[in-house]
Structure formats: C-alpha cells, structure tokens
Amino acid sequence: MDLMLNTDSHILSLIIVGIAALGMSWMPAVAKTTKISYSIAYVLLGVLVFSLVDGLPLPDPTKHNSFVLHFTELAVIISLMGTGLKIDEPFSFKAWKIPFRLVSVTMILCIAGVAAIAHYFLGFDPASAVLLGAILAPTDPVLASDVQVGPPLEDPKDPARFSLSAEAGMNDGTAFPFTWLAILMAIAAGGIGMSDLGLWFLRDVVYRMVAAIACGYAMGRLLAYVIFYLPENSRFIYIRDGFVGVATTLLIYGLTELVRGYGFIAVFVTALTLRNYEFGHKYHRKLHDFTDQIERIMVAIVLLLFGGSIVRGGVLQHLTWDLAFVGLAFVFLVRPLAGLLSLAGIRLPVREKLVIAFFGIRGVGSFFYLAFALSQTDFAFKNELWSLLSFIVLLSLLVHGITATQAMEKLDEKRE
C-alpha cells in the first residue's frame, strides 16, 4: 500500500509539473495582454493544486532544506546566464555606473538597515539579523523578467531595465560575503573578534570574489575563442546549439565552487564576457533563448512549490504582526530609499530613478541564501526567518507583479 501511495504521488507530481511547464508556453503572451506578471498566476495555481489534490509531497522548506538549496541554486545560475546574455550594453565601468552603485551602496544600506531593524525592533540576535539583511539584499534575476531587458540584439535604450537587469545579475553573488559573515557570527555565538573579521574579509570578500571573476572571465574568453574565433579563422567545427549556454553554466559554476570562489559571480561574468565578444552575432540570441526556456520551466516548478508551501508547508505559520510590518517597511521604504540615495548625483530623470529604486524584486535567490546558511549552521530565529522571507517574496510578487508592466510602459511613453 505504501509503495502504491508513493507511486501515485510521483505520477501526480509529474503530471502537475508537465501541465505547469506546458503553460509557460503561453504565459508570456498572457502576461503581456493582462499586464500582470505570470508569477502571480503560478503561485495561485500552487495554492489551488496543493489545497485540492491529496497525496502530493509536503512542500515544507524547513523539512527539505537540501532540496530547496540545490533546486534554487540551479534556478538562479541558469537565470544568471540568461541575464548576462541578454544585456545589450557593452561592459565598461562608466556605462555600468548605476548597476555598480546598486550592488554596492544600495545593497549595503539595505543590509545595514534590515539588520538594525531586525535586531532592535524584532529582537533578533546579531547573527540572525545580519542573515536577514543578507538574504533580502539580492534583487532576484529569476522572477524579475517584467522589469528586465528583452532578448539580445533588440538594443532599446532603456536605463531602468538595463540597470535592474545588471543589478540582478551582479548582486546575487556580491551578497554572499554577508551571508558568510552571518554564518560565522552564528558559529561563534556572538564572540566574533577582529581577527575573525580580518579572515572573513580576506577569504570571503577578497579571495572568493577575485577567484570568481577570474574563473568567469577565463571561461568566457575560452568559450568565445572556441565558438567564434576558431571556426571563422580555421577549419574548426562550428558550434551553434542553444544548450551550450546551459552546459557552460553548470561547468563554470562547478569549477568555480571547486576552488572556493563564488559560482554565481563566475556564471554572470562568463555570460557577459561571451556576450561582449562578437557583440552583434546572432548566436547570442540562440544561446539566450534556450537558456530562457529552461529557466521558465524551473520558475514554474519553484512558484508551484512556493504556492503549496503557503497552504500546506506552513511557511507563514510563524508570521506575526511585527514581522509583517518589517516586511512592508522593507518593500515600500527600505529598498526604495536605499536605491534613491545610491542614485544621488546620477543624471537621470526622477521617474527613472523611482522605478529603479522601487522594483527591487525579491525571490528565488533569497530562498537559496537562507537554505544555504541553514545548511552550514543553526540560527536561533530560523522559523521567523522563513516566515518573514516568504511573506516578503509573496508581497513582492503581488505588488511588483501587478505594477511592473504598467510602470515600464509609462516610462517608455515618457521616453518617446
């Protein structure tokens, strides 16, 4: 009987995933017509499915931390490759000054602000407070397609979409050092000293980031040489398969993590390096399109499970009014104010700055960071962290998902 129940559960899961993945074929067009993000529809579908269908696996992230960690990890790295491949702005420190401000000033202000609120208002211990700031810092590359640039080679001049796309690609890795800082604080039980901070800075900030950038750049140049230079200058075989992007993602991520670098950063740097070689080549579009299709399947599964975790997984059971207030404050005050402060002095219309500051969508990357931290050590407020994070992601999906398309269209009209 147990074997039959397990088999039925497996078959039901396959059917639901198949329907969800198939639905993604129509979802972008539906979202464009309704002007509402398809992320909302898939979360609601997850709520409906797990409410009505018995026998499905229990979508409780606290009991399946390893699955959450590895599945979100895969979703994020594939999204990072797709994000890097679709940015039509050639890389330079001058052209990318807004994204660099967002992943430095905005991110640090958000981490510091959230950590202070969590410690002094919610009563979190320092480690849990810093962890909350770190997991909320990244702008999600997976669920932020509504505010990002389109496929490569379209080249519309859109500062807001470009800035949010580049930020999403960059800060999924740059938030990692602060996650490690929270882990070290939790292990040390608040007894972290200057020598520990020095080691953290040298290892988790300097070495891991330098290693990631070096690995990503080397892989991007090597791949560009094999794909573009050799076939055009010798009798080397032409490579034109779209799955090369996904294969490269897994390869560079694994190699970088092997040398203890940040794989997220390496994947994005690889994508940018490859994209900036033979900039106008049509093969970039093919690489992006295949990566985007795989990403959308991953998104469908993640959102279904997230919807299910709300009604069956109990992710919101530890949510209190104080936690909800902090979640609202983060989405509507902390991130927008930090974004506007970081853009001070930038010559850009106020409406563009407001959009960039407001649409810091939170999602899959934050789930990964929390699952990663909990896989390394225990945190005193882990249940509250799951509930608050789930509430913020749900709030972000609803608020940003309803307003993003219309806000971007308004910007386009003003720009024209």
Side-chain angles (χ1 to χ4, degrees):
M1 179 64 71
D2 289 340
L3 178 60
M4 184 177 296
L5 287 174
N6 290 335
T7 303
D8 290 344
S9 174
H10 171 67
I11 296 301
L12 280 173
S13 300
L14 290 178
I15 293 172
I16 293 169
V17 169
I19 293 172
L22 183 62
M24 273 294 181
S25 302
W26 290 276
M27 277 298 129
V30 172
K32 189 175 181 180
T33 302
T34 61
K35 303 186 187 304
I36 297 177
S37 174
Y38 60 75
S39 300
I40 298 175
Y42 270 75
V43 171
L44 292 175
L45 179 62
V47 169
L48 185 65
V49 167
F50 280 91
S51 297
L52 299 179
V53 180
D54 292 327
L56 293 175
L58 186 66
D60 185 351
T62 63
K63 296 180 180 178
H64 303 284
N65 193 78
S66 180
F67 173 80
V68 174
L69 172 63
H70 296 302
F71 196 81
T72 55
E73 177 183 49
L74 184 59
V76 171
I77 60 175
I78 290 175
S79 179
L80 288 172
M81 175 59 73
T83 301
L85 288 172
K86 68 185 178 183
I87 296 178
D88 279 335
E89 182 68 47
F91 180 81
S92 71
F93 288 103
K94 181 179 180 180
W96 285 55
K97 61 184 177 182
I98 295 179
F100 274 110
R101 288 200 183 191
L102 293 174
V103 300
S104 56
V105 179
T106 301
M107 188 179 69
I108 292 174
L109 287 175
C110 283
I111 293 174
V114 169
I117 293 172
H119 182 61
Y120 293 106
F121 179 71
L122 296 177
F124 281 18
D125 65 288
S128 298
V130 172
L131 179 60
L132 180 61
I135 65 178
L136 291 180
T139 298
D140 193 62
V142 182
L143 303 180
S145 59
D146 296 319
V147 297
Q148 291 186 359
V149 296
L153 305 178
E154 290 189 350
D155 197 34
K157 298 301 179 182
D158 189 334
R161 285 190 176 91
F162 159 66
S163 299
L164 289 169
S165 300
E167 181 198 8
M170 296 167 70
N171 72 1
D172 256 308
T174 51
F176 229 132
F178 298 96
T179 305
W180 273 114
L181 178 60
I183 293 169
L184 293 176
M185 293 172 67
I187 293 174
I192 189 168
M194 291 303 297
S195 60
D196 298 315
L197 287 175
L199 177 61
W200 165 77
F201 181 77
L202 291 175
R203 181 187 62 194
D204 298 320
V205 179
V206 178
Y207 170 74
R208 292 181 190 270
M209 295 187 74
V210 170
I213 294 170
C215 290
Y217 181 75
M219 175 59 74
R221 293 294 297 181
L222 176 62
L223 194 62
Y225 182 78
V226 171
I227 291 176
F228 297 115
Y229 181 82
L230 281 182
E232 294 173 3
N233 294 275
S234 66
R235 294 182 178 180
F236 196 77
I237 300 171
Y238 276 91
I239 300 175
R240 292 296 180 263
D241 292 308
F243 65 78
V244 169
V246 174
T248 302
T249 300
L250 302 177
L251 176 60
I252 187 56
Y253 183 80
L255 289 175
T256 306
E257 290 290 324
L258 201 61
V259 299
R260 299 296 186 267
Y262 291 130
F264 285 176
I265 294 177
V267 169
F268 187 65
V269 171
T270 296
L272 283 183
T273 305
L274 181 61
R275 181 71 184 90
N276 280 260
Y277 194 97
E278 294 287 347
F279 202 81
H281 203 289
K282 293 181 179 179
Y283 184 49
H284 291 297
R285 178 66 180 261
K286 194 169 186 178
L287 285 171
H288 167 268
D289 288 350
F290 186 89
T291 304
D292 180 67
Q293 290 165 12
I294 300 299
E295 178 189 345
R296 280 193 283 155
I297 294 175
M298 302 290 291
V299 168
I301 299 172
V302 169
L303 293 176
L304 279 176
L305 292 175
F306 179 51
S309 71
I310 294 173
V311 293
R312 295 280 298 278
V315 292
L316 297 179
Q317 65 179 338
H318 296 280
L319 186 68
T320 64
W321 286 110
D322 287 345
L323 291 175
F325 176 77
V326 170
L328 290 167
F330 177 79
V331 172
F332 292 103
L333 291 176
V334 177
R335 158 65 195 207
L337 288 177
L340 287 175
L341 287 173
S342 70
L343 296 176
I346 296 288
R347 297 184 62 183
L348 202 64
V350 174
R351 57 181 176 271
E352 300 270 359
K353 290 183 179 182
L354 289 172
V355 167
I356 294 172
F358 181 69
F359 285 101
I361 297 175
R362 267 53 192 172
V364 179
S366 295
F367 287 132
F368 167 81
Y369 278 118
L370 181 52
F372 177 83
L374 294 178
S375 72
Q376 301 297 313
T377 188
D378 194 32
F379 284 81
F381 290 84
K382 61 182 180 181
N383 292 325
E384 288 81 2
L385 286 168
W386 271 117
S387 289
L388 178 53
L389 174 59
S390 299
F391 174 73
I392 290 175
V393 171
L394 180 61
L395 180 65
S396 179
L397 285 174
L398 293 174
V399 173
H400 295 137
I402 292 172
T403 60
T405 301
Q406 298 179 32
M408 290 301 173
E409 288 182 353
K410 291 290 184 182
L411 276 188
D412 293 339
E413 292 173 5
K414 293 290 185 180
R415 201 176 293 117
E416 291 172 0

